[in-house]
Amino acid sequence: SRRKLKNLHAQSDLALDVYWRSFMNIYQLLKELGYLTEENKPSPLGTFTSKIRYENELYLSELLQRGIFDMLSPSALAAVMCALVNDSTRENLYARMSLSPESAKVCHQLVKEQMRVKKLQGRYQIPILLSLNPVASPLVEAWVQQLPWEKLTEATNIDAGDLVRLMRRTSDLLR
């Protein structure tokens, strides 16, 4: 009936308005941070960031700009990237290995950086999540250092398939 149709149009308009506001909030933040030029085209930083394949490209770009990963060994870099891509919410997962001091230090820095980026995003009401879950990171770090697969899987209760998935996601992020 007419009333239902009118109600559906109102709901549709509201949904479009929410998406438009979200888009404009992201646009304003990118403009403020220099990811867009005055002509509303991607700046060199914006072009670089557009190549990142991660849930929160802005966050990773900000980390890269700050040089947080610059001095990491390949195994430590893989461990830290694993912590960024690990979106598991399963409880009671463990690895009977520890992160290297190098990786642990950077993971602690990432917590501070997350707070900074969350504040920026919050100022523009951008609800993109930031996660950091290093439970599997020592395994990835050891794998990059050539520890045999059997030793890795014996040192954790993380399912082998989940571990492979994390390693693939880590590898994709490192590309």
Side-chain angles (χ1 to χ4, degrees), residues 110-157:
L110 294 183
V111 172
K112 293 176 186 172
E113 288 299 316
Q114 279 184 340
M115 298 308 287
R116 188 181 68 76
V117 173
K118 278 182 183 179
K119 282 181 186 176
L120 280 171
Q121 290 180 175
R123 204 166 64 218
Y124 287 94
Q125 299 163 351
I126 300 170
I128 300 172
L129 297 177
L130 300 171
S131 65
L132 185 69
N133 183 348
V135 69
S137 294
L139 301 166
V140 170
E141 190 168 30
W143 179 68
V144 172
Q145 295 168 351
Q146 307 297 309
L147 188 70
W149 180 253
E150 297 77 32
K151 298 267 189 207
L152 288 175
T153 56
E154 289 170 5
T156 186
N157 68 343

Side-chain angles (χ1 to χ4, degrees), residues 59-77:
Y59 174 52
L60 189 53
S61 180
E62 290 287 306
L63 294 173
L64 289 165
Q65 283 183 77
R66 291 180 171 283
I68 288 176
F69 310 122
D70 290 355
M71 302 307 287
L72 289 176
S73 66
S75 59
L77 180 61

Side-chain angles (χ1 to χ4, degrees), residues 4-21:
K4 286 182 182 179
L5 186 58
K6 188 176 181 179
N7 198 8
L8 283 174
H9 279 293
Q11 289 175 354
S12 174
D13 289 345
L14 179 61
L16 287 174
D17 187 49
V18 167
Y19 289 119
W20 180 250
R21 274 187 275 138

Side-chain angles (χ1 to χ4, degrees), residues 24-35 58 117 120-124 126:
M24 290 306 296
N25 290 344
I26 293 168
Y27 164 81
Q28 292 295 331
L29 176 60
L30 294 176
K31 191 89 167 168
E32 175 187 325
L33 296 177
Y35 289 81
L58 173 68
V117 173
L120 280 171
Q121 290 180 175
R123 204 166 64 218
Y124 287 94
I126 300 170

